[in-house]
Amino acid sequence: MKRGMAIDIHSPDRPPVIGVIGGSGLYEIDGLQDVHWETIESPFGAPSDQFLFGRLEDVQMVFLPRHGRGHVHSPSSINYRANIDAIKRAGATEIISVSACGSFKEALAPGTFVLPDQFIDRTFDREKSFFGEGMVAHVELAHPVCGRLKSVLAESCRALGIPVAEGGTYLAMEGPQFSTLAESKLYRSWDCSVIGMTNMPEAKLAREAELCYATIAMVTDYDCWHPDHDSVSVESIIKVLMSNADLGCALVKEAAPRLAARRGACDRGCHTKLDAALVTAPDARDPAMLARLDAVAGRVLTG
């Protein structure tokens, strides 16, 4: 079954549908009903996997395993454009991005959930925009995280007793190798909070697609700057990963109905970010490019 454009995805105040991008275990939520997988096609190529649709009481949800089931995609080979384009086609209005990360701060110990509000993008081998030659756009990104989503996630963490740090900077590295010691020390000097490999250009593309976006960065270990880093075993990291995955499911379940209570468009403007972003004159726009942007930018291109 291919859902495609069957849902009205262009109205800024369409009813909330919670999209979750992360590990394969995140959709194993108690109470998730009407569960089924669907293939969603994208003009930007193949997404990481099929999408899992479900309902949590009255909350419509859609899940995407970022690395594919079985973890078949590396951070650099993920088709981020196809993932974001397709999750919007699937009807998602807000995205909760869940990922493991390393910590740059002693206070952010393994097991802490960090909700970043800033990113530094150090990736270099990824397509980072839906726009380009034939349809140029410059989208505001000063505050890349939806403050409404972040606040709800923080409230939900506190309700569940999950150690949470609200705010901070996520350093996105290319990978797949981890940092050198010199890099780790450099990023600490920039006052970064955590390091990961997947949230860029994901957050940039979500902004271009007019989707609310927030990150749950689950700390599994200290990065190699830490003097005790070499004593961390694979077994201990896996143990934290498993614990974090269980708590991540609980957090998504707790946060989903709070997020679904939104009425009207996002009050932070996430659903109308393209209003002043398009710069190519209408008579100079490439029809083929416009066709590819039917889901991402159809609201402003056909209005």
Side-chain angles (χ1 to χ4, degrees):
M1 181 177 179
K2 297 176 182 178
R3 181 171 297 243
M5 295 291 291
I7 298 174
D8 176 13
I9 60 173
H10 293 138
S11 173
D13 59 354
R14 59 199 184 279
V17 175
I18 313 305
V20 181
I21 302 177
S24 299
L26 285 170
Y27 47 76
E28 296 172 357
I29 296 176
D30 291 339
L32 193 65
Q33 300 175 313
D34 300 334
V35 175
H36 59 286
W37 291 92
E38 292 188 22
T39 297
I40 307 294
E41 295 181 347
S42 168
F44 294 94
S48 293
D49 205 327
Q50 291 182 304
F51 289 76
L52 184 140
F53 292 81
R55 177 175 54 81
L56 194 61
E57 296 183 356
D58 294 330
V59 182
Q60 298 299 320
M61 306 191 70
V62 56
F63 300 80
L64 175 65
R66 182 187 284 112
H67 295 278
R69 282 168 287 182
H71 205 110
V72 296
H73 301 293
S74 77
S76 297
S77 69
I78 292 170
N79 189 336
Y80 294 92
R81 292 196 301 179
N83 284 353
I84 296 298
D85 174 82
I87 204 169
K88 184 170 184 179
R89 291 176 188 276
T93 57
E94 8 265 299
I95 295 178
I96 301 174
S97 172
V98 186
S99 58
C101 66
S103 169
F104 285 129
K105 297 180 180 291
E106 190 80 47
L108 302 178
T112 303
F113 282 20
V114 181
L115 307 176
D117 52 13
Q118 288 295 326
F119 296 96
I120 294 177
D121 187 358
R122 296 280 290 175
T123 67
F124 53 82
D125 194 28
R126 308 174 188 190
E127 293 285 353
K128 300 189 180 186
S129 178
F130 292 111
F131 300 94
E133 185 175 355
M135 185 63 253
V136 178
H138 299 288
V139 181
E140 177 272 323
L141 201 67
H143 302 285
V145 168
C146 175
R148 178 179 58 86
L149 261 65
K150 180 172 65 68
S151 295
V152 170
L153 291 172
E155 292 169 5
S156 298
C157 281
R158 289 190 284 267
L160 294 170
I162 297 173
V164 61
E166 189 174 359
T169 299
Y170 177 117
L171 188 291
M173 65 181 297
E174 183 63 50
Q177 303 85 359
F178 294 114
S179 306
T180 67
L181 180 57
E183 289 170 331
S184 190
K185 290 181 176 179
L186 175 64
Y187 302 151
R188 265 176 52 83
S189 76
W190 292 351
D191 197 33
C192 295
S193 302
V194 294
I195 184 168
M197 300 181 186
T198 58
N199 279 206
M200 280 291 169
E202 194 175 82
K204 292 178 175 178
L205 295 166
R207 174 58 52 85
E208 288 190 342
E210 298 191 315
L211 298 172
C212 298
Y213 182 92
T215 288
I216 304 169
M218 305 185 299
V219 177
T220 60
D221 63 297
Y222 291 110
D223 202 49
C224 61
W225 66 271
H226 198 279
D228 296 331
H229 178 270
D230 289 342
S231 64
V232 176
S233 66
V234 174
E235 290 79 10
S236 65
I237 292 177
I238 292 176
K239 184 177 180 180
V240 175
L241 271 171
M242 297 300 293
S243 175
N244 282 353
D246 291 340
L247 290 175
C249 285
L251 177 54
V252 169
K253 183 176 182 179
E254 172 73 20
R258 299 174 187 246
L259 294 175
R262 171 178 60 78
R263 295 294 179 267
C266 176
D267 61 8
R268 307 302 173 94
C270 298
H271 297 147
T272 54
K273 287 295 184 181
L274 292 179
D275 280 353
L278 307 184
V279 297
T280 301
D283 60 356
R285 295 173 180 176
D286 178 7
M289 174 70 86
L290 300 186
R292 298 179 78 194
L293 294 168
D294 61 337
V296 169
R299 184 186 69 82
V300 290
L301 292 175
T302 60

